[in-house]
Amino acid sequence: MDYNFKEIEEKWQQRWAQRKTYHVNEDKSRPKYYVLNMFPYPSGAGLHVGHPLGYIASDIYARFKRQQGYNVLNPMGYDAYGLPAEQYAIQTGQHPAVTTEQNINRYRQQLDKMGFSFDWDREIRTCDPKYYHWTQWAFQKMFNSYYDTELRKAMPIDVLVKHFETDGTNGIHAAQTDDTIAFSAEEWNAMDETRQAETLMNYRIAYRGEMTVNWCAGLGTVLANDEVVDGVSERGGFPVVQKKMSQWCLRVSAYAQRLLDGLNTVEWSDSITETQKNWIGRSEGAEVKFKIQKNEDGTAQETDTITIFTTRADTMFGVTFMVLAPESDYVRQVTTDSQRAEVERYLEYVKKRTEVDRMSDHKVTGVPTGANAINPLTGEAIPIYVSEYVLAGYGTGAIMAVPAHDSRDYAFAKHFGLPIIPLIEGADVSEESFDAKEGIVTNSPMKGKRGMDGFSLNGLTVSEAIAKTKQFVSDKGIGRVKVNYRIRDAIFSRQRYWGEPFPVYYDHGMPKMIPEECLPIELPEIKEYKPTEMGEPPLGRAERWAWDTKRKQVTLNSEIDERTVFPIDLYTMPGFAGSSAYYLRYMDPRNDKALVGKAAAQYWRQVDLYVGGTEHATGHLIYSRFWNKFLFDLGVSFEEEPYHKLVNQGMIQGRSNFVYRVEELSAADKPVFVSYNLRGEYKEVTPIHVWVNLVKNDMLDMEAFKQWRPEYQNAEFICEDGNYVCGWAVEKMSKSMYNVVNPDDIIRDYGADTLRLYEMFLGPVEASKPWDTNGIDGCFRFLRKFWNLFFDNRTGECLVDNSAPSKDSLKSVHKLIKKVTADIETFSYNTSISAFMICVNELGQQKCHSKELLELLVTIIAPFTPYIAEELWERLGQKDSVCDAEWPKWNEAFMVENEMQMTISFNGKARFQMVFGVDDSKESIQEQVMKDERTQKYIAGKNIVKTIIVPKKIINFVLK
């Protein structure tokens, strides 16, 4: 009976579905374990072999924990909103829901073949109104909340309103956009409803604000930084400019310190943790006000100030100019009439540059505003410039420039010929800035000059100078000590159709929430999916997109009554909206009363193992942690951190193949291709990617190549010994490089168990590695060899018996149990598979057919290769699924080594090996070797000068 993987895999796919093998419920009698993969977006291209890497890794762990007795939750669903489906809809007129459904069905077919232990009864889709009901609900809760900085949690906005009614802004502790706003209770109570609503927007966790965004007119939407490459959209290549727009935002910055603190409570890699810390960017320093010198043309007054944030207040004596971010409101405030045209031209240039471009490109650009500021410590006038290297989102959008001790300030000063004053004794700034943060302070103030009120830092260490300056600026009222964070509030609006609609209507321009009991607000049908001719988002095309406050329902635009019917928000939520709390919904996916029921949330609590790519380190992971902390404040989530342990799988890269066109011999209708090792014989050779399915072991199927594309049908080949050898390279797996490998093809030819095994065998889970189909045969042969431990492949006879296992077999299997148990816990699956191969070889040599040991072998290979394990488990007479077979424990007594193998050498040359008892003395070992006839052959006619014995390693005879 041969290993028929096709029959086995089809059989168990049906059995698992019929028996609901992977369905899970809360079970308080067992410990829980929650395994989750990062939300996949269902692409129209389907999965390639790189996509399942993380799914296989997490599935092995989920199965392992189940066998250890845990109640394992391992769900799967789809992040179904996104720009690709919408762009396809614009091009074809087909509703995005149609293509999304097709893509999901394709994904499901592929995933089902791979033997994953997903509980499909818990499947969720972000485009399902039953799901985004709770995204809309969470948004409304954020709108109706503010962040109390003293309590360090979200609180109802009504609490803040009551405080305003009795005390105004006096004594409030609230995160806010503009912390200069101040009013009394009388002033608050005198405000009309609109003015109060505008004021509250300064405090809400979900708020509308003016934000600088990446605007892509070609796509009609705002893009995230990672969707923009070299000033154009990644999708479509349309120009992208910086533009200020009124957007919905989430006050992520309010949670900055809690986001930092939470990193100390999770098991994440150092690299991801460090990336998040840098993104959050906590810094302690001082906020200082620089007065603006009055301009002759009257564009700036002496009462105007520019506020800057600095972590190095001690360097203020070295400030020789100031720089404003192009987006800063300060630019228009201070720019003189004579410089206005030049500044406007510069601002137009910067609009075409994303923040990523500006930070990665170190070329110096900028223009003077024509205005000066006054250094508060020296009283000297310093010029104010505008430059793209300053970003509006960090600090105040303005910096004091200290060129002697900052590399970008230094480059700017050199470019514009501005003074550079070193502030550290011995600092050489003739060629570059001195960026060290230690030393003795000098030139603070410079010799012959006097600081404000005689203030001086000379002779202090840097740390002493920082502390003294912070205290001074605070005492003198020219600044205050402050903790700053680099993290910004999240822009939460997209000008697209295919996304979660906002549950918001506008009453005379002011946003109001649609009643919670009326959720969800579903996307309306529209005929076209691009922006309107008036530049409105696609929802502007909807025939039914207004809210009737009287009837509490969506109604016709034509029926809008200014008294009771109001327009609904035309924006939709961004992609991360649906993926921020999806892990909670998996806990209780059919609950129509709450995002997650209390009992389910208390049982599952948080994700124990989260598996996904490093590309989400500063996007999804930040937003999801913020969202969860907010829900924790509301009592919905029972853990502050959503994901306890995080494993980042590496990338499976493509192994591309190339053919080489000889230009001097080729014609348009008759190309000539030279084999890899002969290409150096020709002057001009062009490498061309070739579809990897036409290549095996780097040998091209020349006839298939001719049929592949019309331009190659008359191709000629210069071969090596009748074969055309292709070149190869490791590149990103991509359709454009023809190196995409479809897992369906691998499963068809080798089976899903082989695919699972091979992907894990390629290398450590976290490492990137190239895919090479040539190597998959080894894993397939291993599974056949494993099968042959149980069955005679010639006669079909079952070889398993009830014989007592030998000592050697016991040792082989128990060593394997110990090795695999440790390796799974550390995700070292590749070394586990190597250990399996060694053990199976040993058992084959030992002719082990003991049911006792072979059952153990099946239970520990089950997480890796579930199909073959289920089949063998059943054939061994077991009634239940191998998924629930108890994970075995190893016995150290069976692993005690009582023998050792040593190499026998003569004059340093290894000749043969012998086995000895581990307790044999050197004398006994030498005696046994001397009795061996092979020894007599090598020493014949020679004298033994010396015998060297290294126990457990070698015996060497020195002969003469």
Side-chain angles (χ1 to χ4, degrees):
M1 182 178 296
D2 202 7
Y3 169 46
N4 189 331
F5 64 85
K6 291 184 179 178
E7 287 185 7
I8 290 170
E9 294 182 2
E10 288 176 5
K11 168 186 171 179
W12 286 103
Q13 284 167 25
Q14 294 174 8
R15 286 271 188 94
W16 290 334
Q18 291 165 358
R19 296 176 178 177
K20 289 191 173 290
T21 302
Y22 303 122
H23 180 71
V24 63
N25 290 309
E26 292 74 45
D27 182 355
K28 292 183 179 179
S29 67
R30 290 192 291 161
K32 69 90 182 182
Y33 202 90
Y34 187 173
V35 175
L36 184 62
N37 296 281
M38 287 190 184
F39 226 4
Y41 174 78
S43 161
L47 297 166
H48 62 60
V49 291
H51 294 128
L53 178 68
Y55 304 159
I56 297 170
S58 65
D59 191 61
I60 290 171
Y61 200 84
R63 290 174 176 275
F64 168 65
K65 298 307 284 187
R66 178 169 173 170
Q67 287 186 247
Q68 285 190 319
Y70 287 86
N71 189 28
V72 178
L73 174 58
N74 184 21
M76 178 53 73
Y78 305 98
D79 193 5
Y81 279 128
L83 190 56
E86 182 159 328
Q87 285 304 108
Y88 188 77
I90 291 172
Q91 294 162 10
T92 64
Q94 191 173 39
H95 198 289
V98 175
T99 54
T100 299
E101 180 71 23
Q102 292 170 348
N103 296 347
I104 286 175
N105 292 338
R106 171 80 176 119
Y107 262 50
R108 178 64 188 270
Q109 289 171 357
Q110 291 184 293
L111 291 170
D112 279 346
K113 291 178 182 178
M114 296 180 200
F116 296 126
S117 57
F118 297 137
D119 180 358
W120 285 110
D121 291 338
R122 293 175 180 263
E123 178 193 308
I124 57 177
R125 305 177 181 185
T126 54
C127 62
D128 181 352
K130 292 179 181 178
Y131 176 79
Y132 66 67
H133 173 156
W134 301 107
T135 308
Q136 293 176 342
W137 169 85
F139 170 80
Q140 290 191 341
K141 291 296 183 185
M142 292 181 190
F143 178 81
N144 288 316
S145 300
Y146 78 100
Y147 191 82
D148 190 304
T149 56
E150 188 172 60
L151 297 176
R152 296 189 71 202
K153 63 179 294 188
M155 295 291 289
I157 199 75
D158 290 344
V159 173
L160 192 64
V161 170
K162 288 179 180 177
H163 185 101
F164 289 161
E165 289 172 348
T166 57
D167 296 292
T169 53
N170 184 44
I172 65 164
H173 304 279
Q176 51 194 296
T177 307
D178 182 357
D179 60 5
T180 64
I181 291 177
F183 50 81
S184 65
E186 292 75 15
E187 289 171 321
W188 167 263
N189 294 321
M191 294 180 189
D192 60 22
E193 183 182 355
T194 299
R195 182 73 184 107
Q196 287 184 344
E198 290 172 345
T199 303
L200 286 176
M201 205 64 79
N202 188 57
Y203 304 94
R204 297 183 186 275
I205 290 179
Y207 66 94
R208 284 191 73 89
E210 285 285 325
M211 304 291 285
T212 300
V213 297
N214 298 317
W215 173 249
C216 179
L219 296 176
T221 188
V222 169
L223 298 178
N225 281 335
D226 57 4
E227 296 175 310
V228 183
V229 179
D230 296 329
V232 299
S233 61
E234 185 179 38
R235 181 166 294 276
F238 298 105
V240 176
V241 299
Q242 300 291 292
K243 182 178 180 181
K244 275 199 170 185
M245 296 179 66
S246 178
Q247 302 281 303
W248 281 110
C249 305
L250 302 184
R251 206 175 296 281
V252 179
S253 59
Y255 284 80
Q257 189 58 51
R258 283 172 64 183
L259 287 168
L260 270 179
D261 294 342
L263 295 173
N264 298 322
T265 68
V266 294
E267 294 181 28
W268 293 12
S269 69
D270 291 342
S271 61
I272 292 291
T273 300
E274 203 57 36
T275 298
Q276 290 228 333
K277 285 181 179 178
N278 291 336
W279 191 260
I280 297 165
R282 185 184 195 276
S283 51
E284 298 181 15
E287 210 171 58
V288 183
K289 295 178 181 178
F290 282 66
K291 287 185 177 180
I292 302 172
Q293 190 178 56
K294 185 176 181 180
N295 297 325
E296 292 181 3
D297 57 16
T299 52
Q301 305 296 322
E302 288 183 352
T303 54
D304 294 335
T305 59
I306 294 176
T307 302
I308 62 92
F309 174 80
T310 177
T311 59
R312 295 292 305 276
D314 61 303
T315 62
M316 288 174 63
F317 283 105
V319 174
T320 58
F321 59 100
M322 298 188 77
V323 186
L324 307 178
E327 304 85 2
S328 172
D329 291 335
Y330 288 132
V331 175
R332 301 199 184 281
Q333 178 184 345
V334 306
T335 300
T336 63
D337 290 340
S338 59
Q339 284 297 112
R340 198 167 306 282
E342 186 178 1
V343 169
E344 290 294 339
R345 283 194 297 271
Y346 184 73
L347 297 183
E348 284 299 314
Y349 155 77
V350 176
K351 281 182 182 179
K352 301 170 186 175
R353 307 264 290 166
T354 68
E355 287 188 3
V356 174
D357 295 334
R358 287 160 59 177
M359 295 312 293
S360 59
D361 186 353
H362 287 269
K363 70 179 180 181
V364 177
T365 69
V367 292
T369 63
N372 293 322
I374 304 298
N375 186 323
L377 294 191
T378 66
E380 294 179 343
I382 53 175
I384 304 172
Y385 287 78
V386 57
S387 176
E388 62 178 322
Y389 84 90
V390 177
L391 302 179
Y394 180 67
T396 65
I399 68 162
M400 61 175 209
V402 187
H405 303 290
D406 181 273
S407 58
R408 297 201 77 165
D409 292 349
Y410 184 90
F412 195 89
K414 282 288 188 181
H415 183 80
F416 287 98
L418 298 166
I420 299 172
I421 304 170
L423 301 174
I424 304 294
E425 289 183 2
D428 180 5
V429 294
S430 58
E431 299 295 332
E432 60 183 359
S433 60
F434 183 82
D435 295 340
K437 295 177 174 58
E438 296 179 356
I440 302 301
V441 176
T442 187
N443 290 333
S444 299
M446 295 182 69
K447 191 174 181 180
K449 294 188 178 181
R450 180 179 173 83
M452 178 182 180
D453 294 340
F455 180 67
S456 175
L457 301 173
N458 292 332
L460 299 178
T461 64
V462 168
S463 59
E464 291 170 340
I466 292 174
K468 184 175 180 180
T469 311
K470 285 161 65 174
Q471 185 65 50
F472 182 80
V473 298
S474 181
D475 291 344
K476 294 296 180 182
I478 58 175
R480 60 173 177 163
V481 176
K482 188 181 181 184
V483 174
N484 202 43
Y485 298 91
R486 183 179 293 112
I487 193 170
R488 303 178 209 175
D489 292 341
I491 296 173
F492 201 62
S493 300
R494 295 293 184 268
Q495 294 68 37
R496 299 174 184 165
Y497 170 75
W498 193 232
E500 294 94 333
F502 281 98
V504 177
Y505 67 92
Y506 289 87
D507 182 352
H508 296 90
M510 291 308 300
K512 292 188 175 180
M513 297 296 112
I514 289 171
E516 185 179 314
E517 65 271 17
C518 299
L519 300 181
I521 300 303
E522 299 186 26
L523 279 173
E525 294 293 328
I526 59 176
K527 294 179 180 178
E528 287 187 84
Y529 305 100
K530 58 186 179 180
T532 69
E533 288 71 18
M534 301 298 293
E536 291 179 322
L539 286 179
R541 298 181 180 275
E543 293 181 4
R544 292 179 175 268
W545 207 233
W547 183 251
D548 188 326
T549 57
K550 186 176 182 180
R551 291 184 289 175
K552 291 189 175 182
Q553 65 181 35
V554 174
T555 187
L556 290 171
N557 278 335
S558 59
E559 296 177 358
I560 287 182
D561 183 322
E562 288 188 1
R563 295 167 297 178
T564 61
V565 181
F566 303 97
I568 296 176
D569 200 302
L570 299 181
Y571 289 173
T572 54
M573 299 183 194
F576 72 82
S579 62
S580 288
Y582 75 114
Y583 91 93
L584 285 168
R585 190 60 178 170
Y586 276 136
M587 296 177 183
D588 199 9
R590 305 298 168 248
N591 191 329
D592 60 358
K593 303 297 183 185
L595 167 64
V596 56
K598 185 175 181 179
Q602 283 182 321
Y603 179 76
W604 295 112
R605 301 194 73 84
Q606 68 179 164
V607 175
D608 297 286
L609 172 66
Y610 198 32
V611 178
T614 57
E615 66 273 16
H616 299 293
T618 56
H620 161 65
L621 285 174
I622 289 280
Y623 298 138
S624 187
R625 293 180 62 220
F626 151 75
W627 202 288
N628 184 73
K629 287 178 187 295
F630 173 76
L631 294 176
F632 178 80
D633 291 348
L634 265 59
V636 176
S637 172
F638 287 89
E639 296 286 344
E640 268 227 48
E641 287 297 327
Y643 317 114
H644 178 67
K645 183 178 179 66
L646 174 67
V647 171
N648 298 118
Q649 85 273 10
M651 181 186 295
I652 289 187
Q653 299 160 306
R655 190 180 188 277
S656 304
N657 280 113
F658 300 91
V659 291
Y660 299 90
R661 186 173 63 206
V662 184
E663 300 300 344
E664 61 258 42
L665 301 179
S666 296
D669 60 343
K670 198 171 186 179
V672 178
F673 298 95
V674 60
S675 188
Y676 175 76
N677 294 308
L678 303 177
R679 69 194 192 288
E681 299 177 12
Y682 299 88
K683 291 181 181 179
E684 190 177 353
V685 173
T686 303
I688 299 172
H689 282 91
V690 62
W691 191 27
V692 291
N693 285 16
L694 304 179
V695 183
K696 187 168 185 180
N697 294 324
D698 294 331
M699 299 293 181
L700 178 69
D701 183 333
M702 291 177 276
E703 289 305 313
F705 177 78
K706 288 182 178 181
Q707 297 170 23
W708 177 41
R709 294 173 63 166
E711 61 265 37
Y712 298 148
Q713 62 183 350
N714 297 319
E716 293 184 357
F717 303 92
I718 301 171
C719 299
E720 306 172 42
D721 300 324
N723 293 316
Y724 187 96
V725 180
C726 293
W728 66 274
V730 174
E731 300 176 300
K732 181 179 178 181
M733 201 168 277
S734 165
K735 287 188 293 184
S736 64
M737 297 173 185
Y738 302 107
N739 61 2
V740 171
V741 178
N742 190 328
D744 296 351
D745 297 337
I746 303 298
I747 292 171
R748 179 196 63 217
D749 296 338
Y750 297 98
D753 280 342
T754 298
L755 173 67
R756 290 169 63 104
L757 209 61
Y758 183 57
E759 292 221 2
M760 296 299 98
F761 191 51
L762 284 171
V765 172
E766 297 91 342
S768 292
K769 47 262 179 184
W771 175 271
D772 185 358
T773 306
N774 298 336
I776 204 167
D777 291 318
C779 287
F780 183 62
R781 287 195 302 271
F782 161 72
L783 287 178
R784 295 186 65 179
K785 189 178 290 187
F786 179 72
W787 180 266
N788 290 339
L789 288 177
F790 298 80
F791 300 100
D792 187 315
N793 65 334
R794 294 167 298 175
T795 65
E797 176 190 0
C798 179
L799 302 173
V800 182
D801 57 35
N802 292 315
S803 60
S806 68
K807 288 183 179 180
D808 287 341
S809 296
L810 282 167
K811 182 169 71 174
S812 294
V813 172
H814 281 264
K815 280 174 63 178
L816 180 66
I817 295 170
K818 183 177 182 179
K819 171 69 174 168
V820 174
T821 303
D823 281 353
I824 290 181
E825 289 288 8
T826 58
F827 297 86
S828 303
Y829 298 151
N830 57 320
T831 56
S832 282
I833 295 167
S834 297
F836 273 121
M837 293 175 172
I838 292 169
C839 181
V840 167
N841 282 337
E842 289 176 350
L843 295 179
Q845 292 166 5
Q846 296 157 7
K847 300 192 183 305
C848 173
H849 304 302
S850 168
K851 183 179 180 181
E852 176 187 333
L853 288 188
L854 293 182
E855 278 188 349
L856 292 177
L857 206 60
V858 172
T859 62
I860 59 175
I861 205 171
F864 295 85
T865 55
Y867 287 113
I868 194 172
E870 285 280 26
E871 183 68 17
L872 291 172
W873 192 244
E874 183 182 65
R875 289 178 185 242
L876 288 169
Q878 302 292 339
K879 302 295 184 184
D880 298 325
S881 170
V882 72
C883 296
D884 295 311
E886 184 179 353
W887 188 262
K889 295 179 173 60
W890 67 90
N891 188 332
E892 293 285 353
F894 294 140
M895 295 185 283
V896 174
E897 297 286 350
N898 52 21
E899 292 181 336
M900 58 182 177
Q901 184 170 280
M902 297 176 65
T903 301
I904 317 302
S905 299
F906 299 90
N907 286 341
K909 291 185 178 181
R911 296 300 185 180
F912 58 91
Q913 293 181 323
M914 290 181 65
V915 176
F916 307 94
V918 292
D919 298 324
D920 286 356
S921 65
K922 289 186 178 181
E923 292 75 14
S924 174
I925 291 172
Q926 184 170 352
E927 183 180 342
Q928 292 175 64
V929 175
M930 291 302 294
K931 289 180 180 178
D932 192 287
E933 61 183 19
R934 291 171 293 182
T935 301
Q936 297 304 315
K937 182 181 75 171
Y938 285 110
I939 67 174
K942 298 178 182 176
N943 295 322
I944 300 175
V945 176
K946 188 177 183 181
T947 302
I948 302 170
I949 300 178
V950 181
K952 298 185 180 180
K953 291 187 179 180
I954 64 165
I955 303 170
N956 183 44
F957 292 97
V958 180
L959 306 176
K960 189 175 180 181

